[in-house]
Every structure is written in structure tokens, then in C-alpha cells.
Amino acid sequence: MFCKLLSYTLKGIEPLKVQVEIDINNGLTAFDIVGLPDSSVRESKERVRSSIKNSEYRFPMNRITINLAPANVKKEGALYDLPIAVGILCSTGIASISKLENHLFFGELALDGSLRSFKQLFPIICSLNQKSEFEIFKFIVPTEAEPQLTCLNNPNILYANSLSDVVNYLNSKIELPNSIYNYINNNVPDYPDFAEIKGQLHAKNAMIVAACGHHNILLIGPPGSGKTLLAKSFPALFPPLTSAESIQLTQIYSLADLLSTSELVTQRPIRSPHHTITPQALAGGGASPKPGEISLAHKGILFLDELLEFNKKTLEILRQPLESKKIDISRAQHTVSYPSDFLLIASTNPCPCGYYPNLKRCVCSPNKVKQYLNKLSGPLLDRIDIHIETEPLTIKSLNSADSLSTKEMLHSVEIGIERQKHRFQADRFNESISTSEISTYCKLTSSGQLLLENWFERPHSSASPTMRSYHKILKLSRTIADLCDSDLIDEQHIAKAIQYRSLDQIL
């Protein structure tokens, strides 16, 4: 007696087909699983045996061989419990095989026959749901996963409480329910108001530009000047998560085992790793690579406080994802890719003691200051669009009643975002303008062009500007012009963009 079912596992966040083959023959009683199973898959023998018996079905006392193909891919987790049990019951004639075609079964079995969800379920169903060839398939999943899976609005996702429900469905005795709903993000996160930050008008204006065009930003200033509070207030300038973004983030967080099987990610992530983080924790890794901090910050913010205290090798990992918006993790057997489209906010002191250029308090020599800032490599600095200095607090700024609030800043950001939506006819930001699109979207006035040429050709203190920094200036200028409600980029927009890259003047 032979039966074959189709199942899927994950390679990164991409689906990988697995064929579950069940062969039952006469011979000594045995139950073997082959096809490179890990310990959790091998343990499914006992879960399947007990669940079939406790569901009051006869378990065959024959030689049972389960093959999970392809044999060169390691099989992990409890996701094969339900297809193995269904295959055994179909092979013995207890369940009808007529409905097996175009059906996919997912679920971990409890010993009493009830179905449990597992962490890979949501990412697997999401990846299959996005492919047109699976529109004719029905997915049989545990009812426990309904709070997550209903957001996919797929009527072909059917929910079962137990193995008995699945068998009765296959025998056409019952119909399994489905569920759909419209995604509404009602969560309003509570972030600090920018009005609580006294002074720092220059830094706040830079934050508006960063939020509007999705530009990476580096805050440089003395201790206590408000760098961390500025970064913590920044997420309030972001629009709420869309349904598609929420689904993609839930996939990533499920793979990282940071969500229960009934939760959805409904807020933009803010990841703030400590400076002692390892390269593997930042990029992702392990024998079966899991998402790291840069993938967990996808569609949100990666905040690196005390940037120059991070290990230099760890920081250099950021180069590829900042450019390509994804991270590739290679292992001996396979390579996986995870999305990492995040906005980087970093903060640092200007010198080891923290008080440069206040010569009354700073005890560092000019050479020591430059040596400290040179911990940040040129290629990585090139990828950070805005370098802004925060000012030391004064009594005048502390006593000032005027302080730019989040509401006022958000109004400016919304104006710029609307112009970008109209320009691109999509939810895109100026930061994503490609090299080939710059001439189309970044049109300059003659005075703006002259200022940009003078900046590029003038003598610099060290290395000359790169083409990347040249394009960063143009994209920044495009965002600044949008905030000024201008179609053309003028010299004032170019001048402000150059001013926002202060480290280009120092290093």
C-alpha cells in the first residue's frame, strides 16, 4: 500500500517542495522515517502512532516506511506530523484518497489527536499564498493558527481542530470552516513627543528630511544632548504598517521564533542592539540560518546607539543590506536571503571623552578625535545619507517655550510623502531612486547645478567625493525640494543637502 502527499518547508522565506511518501508492506512491525530527518521529525513517529490510536482509528501493525524527498535537504520541525498521519490512514483505507489532490496538510499532532500550530506555518502559507499556481490548492491547518492566517483573506485555508476532523473531511462527512477578514491596524504606539526635546531645531529638521525620503541618519553630539531621545521619537514620523508589510514582518518574526502562533506584527519594528552584538546576531546565522537584527528591523528602524563602540567587523556587515535591501547568508549546504529594508539611525559621540569641539571640556587631541571618527569606514559612511551634529544644551534652549512638536513635523513629512506618491505612482521613497532614474526625477536649476559642480570639484580635506555621495546629495536635495513643495531642485536645496553631510567636510 502506497500513498504520496505534497508538503512544503522553507528555504529562508522561500517555499521548498517536500514529497511525503508512505509505504506500508507486510513484514516485521517497524516504523521508519528516511530523507534526512532531524530529531524532531524522527520523534513524530510516536506522536503519529498515539494520535491515530487515541482518535480511535486502527494503527497498522506492518512495516511502515516514510520517505521525505528530496533526501539531500534536512527536514526539521513538527510540520510533517499531519501529512504523515493522513498518508497512513489513506494507505489503510480509513480515509478517502479522492480529495488528496490539490490539498496541502500542515500541523503538529498532540498525543490525543488534536492539532497544534508551529512557528514555520505562517511563513509557509504566506509564501505559497503569493504564488498563482497555488490558487487551486486548499490548505488544511490547525484552528490554533486562525488569528494569524485570517489576515491573508484566502477562503481556501481550512481549519481543523483534530485529526478526526481531517479524516471526516476527507470522507465527505463534514466541511471544514474557513475565515477571512479585512486588515485594520488600530494600534497607536506611544512614542515620546519631539516637543519634549528642547532646542535641536537643526537636528529635528534633518529628522523630517530623513523620515520623508527614508534617508539613513547619523547623529553626532556630546553626551546628554538628546541623540537617543531624538531616535526614540523618530518612529512617530512613520506611516502605520500596511497589511502587506504586517504579513511580511510576521513571516520574519515567526521564523525567528519571536511570536506566538496567534500573533501578528502590527507596529513598525524598532531594533536597538547593544554595541557588544556579534556579527552573527546582527546579520543572522546558525546551522539553519535565522533572521538577525537587520532583518528584524525590516520596514522599520535599526538604531545603533554609540555607533563607534561597535566592533568594526560587525559594522561592515551593514554595507550590503544598506545597498541591496536584503541580506544573503551562506552556509555549506545552502544560501538563504532575508529582506532587510530598514532605515538606519546611528548616534555617536564626536570623540572618546564626548565633548569635542568644546575645548574647555574636551581632553582629546585633534589627532585622537580624527582617529576616533575614522573607526567608521568611508564606504559605510558613504551609505549614510545625513550626518547631523546635535548642539549642547543651553539655559536659553531649556527655558524656551518654542519646541518643534511631533504633530508639526508629521505635517511636513506628509506633504513630502504625498509628492513622492504622485511622482512614483507607488509607495516609494526618494532614497530608492536608482542611478538611471536620477536624471528623470532630480532636475536641477542652473544655479543648483553650478553649486553641485563646485562642491564636487573643490579640494577636500582628504578623499574626493564618490559617485555614491554625489547621488546621495541629489536624492537628499530631491526630498528637501519636496518638503518645500518645489518641482525643481534649487541651489538652496543643494546647499542644505551638503550641510547635512558634515562628516564629508571632516574625514
Side-chain angles (χ1 to χ4, degrees), residues 480-497:
I480 294 165
D482 286 341
L483 290 166
C484 296
D485 209 16
S486 172
D487 291 326
L488 293 176
I489 299 172
D490 204 351
E491 60 179 330
Q492 62 179 346
H493 308 136
I494 294 287
K496 198 169 185 179

Side-chain angles (χ1 to χ4, degrees), residues 400-416:
S400 175
D402 294 330
S403 184
L404 203 58
S405 69
T406 297
K407 186 176 180 181
E408 294 169 316
M409 294 170 71
L410 191 56
H411 177 69
S412 299
V413 170
E414 287 170 348
I415 291 173

Side-chain angles (χ1 to χ4, degrees), residues 219-347:
L219 302 169
I220 313 158
S225 59
K227 302 186 296 295
T228 302
L229 192 55
L230 282 166
K232 288 182 177 179
S233 304
F234 186 83
L237 303 180
F238 266 31
L241 278 179
T242 64
S243 174
E245 289 172 337
S246 176
I247 289 169
Q248 190 177 29
L249 281 168
T250 303
Q251 278 184 276
I252 296 169
Y253 275 70
S254 296
L255 284 172
D257 206 11
L258 295 176
L259 281 182
S260 75
T261 54
S262 60
E263 285 183 285
L264 281 172
V265 177
T266 56
Q267 295 182 14
R268 291 196 181 274
I270 309 165
R271 306 297 298 186
S272 181
H274 193 259
H275 65 259
T276 56
I277 189 172
T278 63
Q280 291 76 17
L282 185 66
S288 297
K290 285 187 176 183
E293 289 290 339
I294 57 177
S295 295
L296 296 174
H298 182 61
K299 296 301 179 183
I301 293 167
L302 179 65
F303 175 44
L304 301 183
D305 201 6
E306 303 298 342
L307 180 70
L308 297 182
E309 299 301 322
F310 282 77
N311 183 286
K312 190 168 184 177
K313 288 183 179 179
T314 302
L315 288 179
E316 294 307 304
I317 289 171
L318 293 171
R319 286 202 207 174
Q320 183 217 351
L322 282 173
E323 200 77 14
S324 63
K325 308 301 181 187
K326 66 185 180 70
I327 179 74
D328 298 316
I329 306 170
S330 297
R331 293 294 178 266
Q333 298 296 324
H334 59 279
T335 298
V336 299
S337 293
Y338 289 117
S340 54
D341 184 7
F342 57 87
L343 190 149
L344 174 66
I345 302 180
S347 70

Side-chain angles (χ1 to χ4, degrees), residues 5 15 34 73 268 367 373 406 427 459:
L5 291 85
V34 298
V73 176
R268 291 196 181 274
N367 189 49
L373 291 176
T406 297
D427 288 331

